[in-house]
């Protein structure tokens, strides 16, 4: 396998970071398919995403303190200042050779430091264009998106400034004559932001190439002014320090819009600070979603403050290399885009390019037209107009492949005339499966108050006549923390958040929200609002046993150590060091289930910081009755709920909470078991759990698990970990419960990657004496289909017997279910 070492002017990439041949990238900063013959190579293999950083450099933001304290700390660690980013109060420091990661750990733990991180690298990922694309019908994008009708309203205004943070711009190109503002070159640290790769010139032409000048093509906003900000070098490489400095510079110089046809797979607190700085100055930020065809967050596009842009084709299909996921906001043409182009031989030329680097400037250009027509529009309104007037593509409504759809310039400009702000979080449309709500969680931590059971099979209670199936125990409280009252897709009402009033509520904190789409849920509003630093939630309840579900989603932090929480229930620590980002990443629903016993008439849930610089958060809380009321704490006998835990593919196992998991077994009538398949195992460590053994074994192609259970309402918990696939599309699963599809295309790798615990929770009701299909799997992908049901746990109240059936079926693929 060929290994490539990447270097940067004056700096080297850390020697431990290598790029494997496929698409040549470290962080893959640019997503442009460019037609530059000198760089023309054919990329075929799927890339391995890696994260490199500049050797012997570290980025540090100090807590508020005096200069002497900072100087003393830098001297203690042998650090030298290379650059100070005043707008962000952040330093780029030179370290001793080979000490970057050690210093990140050591400085990150000091009270004088807010954060410390490597100076991550990024690079362009180029998809060369075939020369045959140079045909008479070169330009199609403006016509496709309705630009002509938009230009009837305005062609842009010199009052609107669009910064292009890229490889620079060819300053002498006739398409930009008289409309270039002074910029800056952060690569060479001078005031000449000339292009030396062609990438930035292409993006600038899509945005604002001149109209009616007798040559070339025209941009979306030909009347706008362009500010060149060079952050990429001649090899289309950059580091986050340069990108962040460029963003701050553009904001300080009065840019209304910043086009970021670049990105990387390693998030950065410095980069996020810069994005927030610009957003705080009223700048609309537009960023490329990435060109690897993967479901991975791509930065800065994945940050809430940016508009993340995917690429579409001439026929309104998804560009095959366009990244996808919940962070994608909008689509625009990005295949075979003809625009201005720089090359050493023809600095004022033109050429084709493809990718999200070519689609992103279409959105920036449209934003420029909107601000020319309505200078009063704030970034949130610009985003809302673009998204709400888009042409819906793919699945109806917002989806992870196209976001809100492909931009429609004509409709956007028409809507802007009389625009008034609309809600940024519309109520989800009713689903076709109204009786089952899948609720994903990455790690399930049993609470210390849960009573372990070693029972391997259920003993149905005898009954002479069938009794009606009871309904699920009613939730005592459902709270949309930080949000308004909400009715979820199952018709359940969630209360608006409130301060403690003697009945229930929070003690403190602030409300925050995001409009970013959240993975793994049909109920976006339950995760898009949250309470930060709540201190404690209290609920007045009858004494008894309760199931508590805490719902989380992370939007702000970019590493696992930035927000770490301790959670206590009734004085018992149920989470010692919970990191939402470490468990699920960003923009992904994370639900945690706990058991609690109330003996004093009040349930107390405490949230406290236990690491990092961010306060604890909570998005939603559900408290439901799970056991008999206990008037006093006296040990009276109560009905034992049915609980069956199975270590699928493995032997009997006692977990870290003392709970016994039964050894896997074939089905026996009247009991439980699987119907087929093979047991597999690995010795790889599993992230996100203290019970690796539960995830290191699995049943491959089990076809069906069946359980004889009392009739009633249940929670079925399926536990997964992926060890075999290497792409999100390799193994996709469809899961059904009670004949209802609860997972249409579950990818373990797509949600959490390899060797990471993923738990998913599903409610189901088993009726009298009937077979209930709980889980059936169908899959598509390069590896053979599904990976449902590693471990199964059912919990419910004791009721007359029924039968719970877990069916696993394959459709397409190369790997057996597991």
């Amino acid at each position: 396998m060929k290994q490539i070492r990447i270097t940067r002017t004056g700096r080297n990439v850390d020697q431990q970071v290598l790029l494997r041949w496929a698409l040549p990238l470290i962080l893959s900063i640019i997503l442009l398919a460019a037609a530059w013959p000198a760089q023309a190579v054919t990329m075929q293999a799927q890339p391995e995403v890696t994260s490199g950083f500049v050797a012997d450099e570290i980025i540090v933001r100090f807590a508020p303190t005096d200069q002497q304290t900072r100087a003393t700390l830098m001297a203690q660690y042998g650090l030298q200042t290379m650059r100070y980013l005043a707008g962000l109060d952040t330093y780029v420091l030179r370290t001793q050779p080979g000490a970057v990661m050690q210093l990140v750990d050591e400085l990150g733990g000091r009270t004088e430091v807010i954060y410390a991180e490597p100076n991550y690298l990024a690079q362009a990922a180029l998809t060369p264009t075939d020369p045959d694309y140079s045909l008479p019908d070169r330009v199609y994008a403006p016509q496709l998106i309705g630009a002509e009708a938009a230009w009837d309203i305005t062609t842009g205004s010199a009052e609107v400034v669009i910064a292009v943070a890229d490889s620079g711009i060819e300053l002498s190109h006739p398409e930009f004559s008289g409309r270039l503002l002074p910029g800056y070159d952060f690569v060479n640290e001078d005031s000449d932001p000339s292009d030396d790769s062609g990438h930035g010139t292409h993006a600038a032409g899509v945005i604002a190439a001149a109209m009616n000048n007798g040559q070339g093509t025209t941009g979306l906003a030909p009347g706008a002014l362009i500010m060149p900000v060079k952050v990429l070098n001649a090899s289309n490489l950059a580091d986050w320090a340069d990108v962040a400095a460029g963003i701050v510079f553009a904001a300080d110089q009065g840019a209304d819009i910043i086009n970021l046809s670049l990105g990387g797979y390693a998030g950065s607190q410095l980069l996020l600070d810069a994005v927030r700085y610009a957003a705080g100055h009223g700048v609309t930020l537009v960023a490329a979603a990435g060109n690897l065809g993967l479901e991975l967050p791509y930065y800065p596009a994945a940050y809430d403050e940016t508009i993340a842009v995917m690429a579409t084709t001439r026929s309104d299909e998804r560009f095959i290399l366009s990244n996808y996921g919940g962070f994608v906001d909008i689509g625009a043409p990005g295949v075979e885009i003809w625009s201005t182009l720089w090359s050493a031989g023809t600095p004022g030329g033109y050429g084709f390019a493809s990718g999200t680097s070519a689609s992103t400037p279409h959105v920036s250009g449209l934003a420029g037209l909107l601000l020319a027509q309505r200078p009063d529009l704030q970034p949130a309104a610009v985003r809302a107009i673009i998204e709400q007037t888009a042409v819906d593509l793919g699945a109806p409504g917002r989806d992870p492949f196209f976001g809100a759809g492909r931009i429609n310039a004509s409709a956007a400009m028409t809507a802007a005339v009389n625009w008034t702000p609309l809600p940024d979080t519309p109520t989800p449309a009713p689903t076709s499966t109204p009786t089952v709500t899948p609720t994903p969680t990455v790690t399930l931590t049993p609470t210390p108050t849960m009573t372990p059971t070693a029972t391997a099979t259920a003993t149905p209670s005898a009954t002479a006549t069938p009794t009606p199936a009871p309904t699920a125990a009613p939730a005592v409280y459902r709270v949309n923390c930080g949000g308004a009252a909400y009715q979820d897709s199952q018709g359940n009402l969630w209360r608006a958040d409130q301060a403690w009033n003697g009945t229930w509520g929070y003690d403190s904190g602030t409300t925050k929200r995001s409009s970013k789409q959240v993975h793994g849920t049909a109920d976006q509003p339950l995760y898009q609002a949250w309470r930060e630093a709540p201190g404690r939630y209290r609920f007045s309840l009858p004494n008894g046993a309760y199931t508590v579900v805490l719902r989380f989603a992370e939007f702000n932090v970019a590493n696992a150590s930035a927000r770490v929480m301790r959670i206590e229930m009734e004085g018992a620590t149920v989470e010692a060091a919970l990191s939402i980002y470490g468990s699920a990443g960003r923009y992904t629903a994370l639900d945690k289930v706990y058991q609690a016993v109330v003996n004093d008439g009040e349930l107390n849930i405490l949230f406290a910081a236990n690491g990092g610089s961010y306060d604890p958060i909570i998005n939603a809380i559900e408290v439901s009755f799970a056991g008999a009321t206990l008037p006093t704490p006296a040990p009276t006998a109560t009905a034992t709920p049915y609980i069956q835990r199975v270590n699928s593919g493995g032997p009997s196992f006692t977990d870290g909470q003392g709970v016994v998991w039964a050894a896997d077994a074939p089905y026996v009538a009247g009991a439980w078991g699987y119907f087929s398949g093979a047991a597999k195992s690995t010795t790889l460590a599993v992230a996100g759990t203290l019970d690796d053994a539960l995830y290191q074994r699995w049943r491959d192609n089990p076809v069906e698990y069946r359980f004889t259970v009392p009739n009633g309402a249940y929670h079925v918990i399926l536990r997964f970990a992926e060890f075999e696939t290497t792409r999100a599309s390799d193994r996709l699963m469809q899961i059904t419960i009670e004949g209802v599809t609860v997972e249409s295309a579950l990818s373990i790798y797509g949600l959490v990657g390899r060797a990471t615990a993923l738990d998913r929770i599903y409610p189901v009701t088993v009726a009298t004496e009937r077979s209930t299909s709980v889980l059936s799997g169908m899959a598509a992908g390069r590896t053979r289909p599904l990976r449902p049901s590693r471990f199964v746990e059912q919990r419910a109240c004791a009721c007359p017997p029924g039968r719970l059936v877990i069916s696993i079926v394959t459709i397409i693929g190369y790997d057996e279910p597991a």
Side-chain angles (χ1 to χ4, degrees):
M1 179 176 290
K2 184 175 180 180
Q3 296 179 333
I4 303 172
R5 178 177 172 80
I6 301 292
T7 61
R8 182 189 187 284
T9 304
R11 307 176 191 176
N12 291 327
V13 176
D14 193 283
Q15 295 181 12
Q16 66 181 320
V17 181
L18 298 171
L19 299 181
R20 307 199 183 280
W21 180 257
L23 291 181
L25 72 132
I26 285 184
L27 284 185
S28 173
I29 191 153
I30 300 271
L31 327 153
L32 177 63
W36 303 306
Q39 298 176 342
V41 283
T42 302
M43 311 302 178
Q44 296 178 343
Q46 183 69 22
E48 175 181 327
V49 178
T50 59
S51 298
F53 52 84
V54 179
D56 306 333
E57 286 188 17
I58 188 172
I59 294 171
V60 176
R61 183 176 181 185
F62 292 99
T65 184
D66 59 82
Q67 290 297 325
Q68 182 58 46
T69 300
R70 297 183 180 189
T72 301
L73 191 62
M74 286 190 281
Q76 177 183 344
Y77 287 94
L79 301 171
Q80 297 178 339
T81 301
M82 297 184 63
R83 183 191 304 175
Y84 176 60
L85 305 177
L88 303 175
D89 191 25
T90 302
Y91 293 81
V92 180
L93 303 173
R94 172 76 71 184
T95 72
Q96 298 299 315
V100 169
M101 297 313 296
Q102 177 183 347
L103 286 173
V104 166
D105 291 338
E106 292 184 11
L107 289 172
R110 297 190 64 108
T111 58
E112 304 97 322
V113 174
I114 295 177
Y115 66 80
E117 63 187 18
N119 190 8
Y120 283 111
L121 279 166
Q123 176 196 348
L126 308 178
T127 308
T129 311
D130 195 293
D132 290 345
Y133 291 157
S134 300
L135 300 173
D137 56 339
R138 290 172 173 169
V139 179
Y140 73 91
Q143 299 90 326
L144 179 64
I145 66 175
E148 294 94 335
W151 291 331
D152 288 340
I153 299 174
T154 182
T155 57
S157 166
E159 298 299 316
V160 176
V161 176
I162 304 177
V164 180
D166 213 291
S167 62
I169 295 176
E170 172 48 45
L171 304 180
S172 65
H173 203 296
E175 294 285 4
F176 309 120
S177 178
R179 291 184 298 115
L180 289 177
L181 295 175
Y184 195 79
D185 178 353
F186 288 92
V187 176
N188 301 301
E189 299 182 0
D190 58 45
S191 58
D192 180 13
S194 294
D195 199 349
D196 52 9
S197 80
H199 187 270
T201 300
H202 189 279
V206 174
I207 295 171
M211 179 182 284
N212 299 328
N213 66 339
Q215 65 184 77
T217 182
T218 183
L220 260 291
L225 298 184
I226 297 296
M227 181 189 298
V229 181
K230 182 173 176 61
V231 297
L232 297 170
N233 65 16
S235 300
N236 283 325
L237 285 170
D239 58 53
W240 285 145
D242 283 346
V243 176
I247 292 172
V248 171
F249 171 85
D252 287 344
Q253 298 304 309
D256 299 292
I257 299 158
I258 301 177
N259 186 86
L260 296 156
S261 289
L262 49 80
Y265 292 96
S268 160
Q269 187 61 49
L270 172 66
L271 180 65
L272 177 57
D273 286 348
V275 166
R276 287 178 172 170
Y277 179 89
H281 283 68
V283 179
T284 297
L285 296 105
V286 186
N291 273 3
L292 292 184
L294 300 177
E295 187 179 13
L296 287 175
Y298 197 74
Y299 302 97
Y303 294 135
D304 286 354
E305 293 80 2
T306 68
I307 300 174
V309 186
M310 56 81 63
T312 60
T313 69
R314 290 173 179 261
S315 56
D316 272 343
E317 297 176 339
R318 172 177 161 262
F319 176 47
I320 190 64
L321 292 180
S322 187
N323 286 353
Y324 58 97
F327 72 97
V328 171
D329 294 314
I330 199 71
V335 177
E336 303 166 5
I337 302 301
W338 181 259
S339 182
T340 50
L341 199 64
W342 173 94
S343 67
T346 312
Y350 300 83
F352 282 105
S354 296
T356 55
S357 277
S359 62
T360 299
H362 284 94
V363 179
S364 294
L366 176 54
L369 293 180
L370 289 170
L371 290 178
Q373 181 191 14
R374 289 283 303 273
D376 59 313
L377 293 176
Q378 295 300 307
V382 172
R383 174 197 293 270
I385 292 172
I386 291 174
E387 293 183 358
Q388 294 181 25
T389 59
V391 176
D392 192 14
L393 301 178
R398 195 179 184 102
D399 67 76
F401 295 101
F402 296 93
R406 190 257 298 148
I407 60 170
N408 184 335
S410 175
M413 295 301 289
T414 300
V417 174
N418 297 308
W419 180 263
T420 55
L422 298 177
D424 60 0
T425 308
T427 301
T431 66
S432 58
T433 58
T435 58
V436 182
T437 304
T439 310
T441 179
V442 177
T443 51
L444 178 80
T445 305
T447 174
T449 60
M450 180 182 292
T451 304
T453 176
T455 305
T457 59
T459 304
S461 58
T463 180
T465 58
T467 58
T471 58
V476 178
Y477 291 103
R478 291 189 180 94
V479 180
N480 188 13
C481 301
Y486 171 69
Q487 187 172 11
D488 66 24
S489 56
Q490 307 305 310
N492 298 315
L493 182 62
W494 294 73
R495 307 180 192 211
D497 205 11
Q498 70 174 34
W500 169 251
N501 62 359
T503 302
W504 69 272
Y506 57 81
D507 280 357
S508 60
T510 57
T511 295
K512 296 192 175 181
R513 61 180 291 107
S514 170
S515 61
K516 284 286 188 181
Q517 186 178 18
V518 181
H519 267 313
T521 179
D523 293 301
Q524 300 288 318
L526 288 182
Y527 298 88
Q528 291 172 324
W530 63 93
R531 178 155 295 278
E532 189 168 85
R536 178 176 55 165
Y537 271 85
R538 291 183 281 172
F539 300 91
S540 294
L541 296 166
N543 291 339
Y546 291 85
T547 297
V548 180
V549 181
L550 303 182
R551 303 192 178 197
F552 305 91
E554 182 61 77
F555 294 89
N556 294 330
V557 309
N559 60 72
S561 60
R563 190 194 317 269
V564 181
M565 297 183 282
R566 186 181 81 253
I567 302 175
E568 296 181 3
M569 290 187 188
E570 290 299 279
T573 299
V574 296
E575 295 287 352
L578 174 63
S579 167
I580 305 168
Y581 184 94
S583 297
R586 285 159 60 92
Y587 317 130
T588 300
L590 173 64
D591 294 3
K592 310 281 285 185
V593 182
Y594 312 91
Q595 301 299 308
V597 175
V598 174
N599 292 318
D600 59 0
E602 185 176 289
L603 173 64
N604 285 266
I605 307 174
L606 176 70
F607 299 86
N610 196 24
S613 58
Y614 284 77
D615 290 322
I617 62 171
I618 178 64
N619 298 67
I621 300 174
E622 182 176 8
V623 181
S624 57
F625 185 66
T629 301
L630 303 177
T632 66
T636 57
T638 60
T640 302
Y642 177 91
I643 301 177
Q644 183 60 60
R645 301 182 181 90
V646 180
N647 186 9
S648 300
S652 177
F653 172 72
T654 301
D655 64 24
Q657 303 297 321
V659 175
V660 176
W661 295 73
D664 204 12
Y667 177 70
V668 175
W672 62 270
Y674 61 80
F675 273 71
S676 65
K680 292 187 176 181
S681 65
T682 182
T683 58
L684 291 175
V686 183
T689 180
L690 297 177
D691 294 305
D692 290 40
L694 283 180
Y695 298 85
Q696 291 171 327
R697 296 177 181 272
W698 63 94
R699 178 152 296 278
D700 202 75
N701 197 25
V703 177
E704 180 177 290
Y705 270 84
R706 183 175 298 178
F707 296 82
T708 302
V709 300
N711 289 328
Y714 290 80
H715 281 99
V716 178
I717 303 170
L718 305 181
R719 302 192 173 192
F720 306 87
E722 180 63 77
F723 299 98
E724 298 174 326
T725 67
T726 57
R727 296 186 305 179
S729 59
D730 282 353
R731 192 191 317 271
L732 299 176
M733 296 176 279
Q734 183 184 75
I735 302 175
T736 64
I737 296 180
E738 285 287 80
V740 176
T741 299
V742 297
E743 300 284 359
S744 58
L746 174 64
S747 167
I748 306 167
Y749 185 92
L751 287 177
V752 296
R754 287 165 59 90
T756 300
L758 172 66
D759 295 2
R760 295 181 81 84
I761 306 169
Y762 311 92
V764 61
T765 298
V766 177
T768 304
E769 297 294 344
R770 75 182 183 92
S771 298
T772 302
S773 177
V774 173
L775 181 151
S776 64
M778 303 178 181
R782 189 175 59 80
T783 51
R784 290 177 300 187
L786 354 127
R787 262 193 134 23
S789 111
R790 280 189 194 283
F791 319 102
V792 183
E793 176 178 352
Q794 285 80 28
R795 297 181 295 155
C797 57
C799 309
R803 189 169 61 181
L804 187 65
V805 180
I806 300 180
S807 302
I808 302 173
V809 182
T810 67
I811 297 184
I812 303 169
Y814 306 124
D815 203 11
E816 293 299 326

